[in-house]
């Protein structure tokens, strides 16, 4: 028989498990929804961190996408609040000619 050396196989690539940006995006997305948008600060940061996490952390893709979705929902909520506030300020002036007897 010949002398053959059996070399052990190299260890499989283990994912590092770094999901810091993804988890932060998810947490800020949830905070943005629970606190009513927090005037857009938390949802905007959740969106930015979610996009960064998609590029840098493939292991945390699901968490990053969830943070992105919640961030966009939070931004939509803030936009609806601002639209409602604008209408509440301007709508009374639409009826002013009728109240003043001009129309």
């Amino acid at each position: 028989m010949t002398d053959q050396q059996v070399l052990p196989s190299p260890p499989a690539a283990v994912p590092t498990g770094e999901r810091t940006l993804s988890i932060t995006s998810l947490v800020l997305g949830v905070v943005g929804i629970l606190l009513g948008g927090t005037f857009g600060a938390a949802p905007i940061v959740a969106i930015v961190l979610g996009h960064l996490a998609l590029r840098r952390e493939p292991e945390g893709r699901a968490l990053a996408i969830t943070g992105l979705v919640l961030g966009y929902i939070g931004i939509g909520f803030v936009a609806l609040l601002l639209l409602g506030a604008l209408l509440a300020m301007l709508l009374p002036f639409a009826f002013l000619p009728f109240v003043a007897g001009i129309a």
Side-chain angles (χ1 to χ4, degrees), residues 75-92:
I75 290 292
F77 185 66
V78 169
L80 284 176
L81 283 177
L82 290 176
L83 180 65
L86 182 67
L87 285 176
M89 288 189 297
L90 296 180
L91 197 57

Side-chain angles (χ1 to χ4, degrees), residues 39-93:
F39 304 108
I44 289 173
V45 176
I47 290 170
V48 170
L49 290 179
H51 282 291
L52 286 173
L54 283 178
R55 288 185 181 189
R56 297 181 185 177
E57 301 172 354
E59 297 91 14
R61 184 171 173 81
L63 296 173
I65 290 174
T66 306
L68 279 171
V69 168
L70 291 175
Y72 282 122
I73 289 173
I75 290 292
F77 185 66
V78 169
L80 284 176
L81 283 177
L82 290 176
L83 180 65
L86 182 67
L87 285 176
M89 288 189 297
L90 296 180
L91 197 57
F93 293 110

Side-chain angles (χ1 to χ4, degrees), residues 2-22:
T2 62
D3 291 329
Q4 289 184 338
Q5 277 189 330
V6 177
L7 296 175
S9 62
V14 178
T16 60
E18 279 220 23
R19 298 181 305 208
T20 307
L21 292 174
S22 304

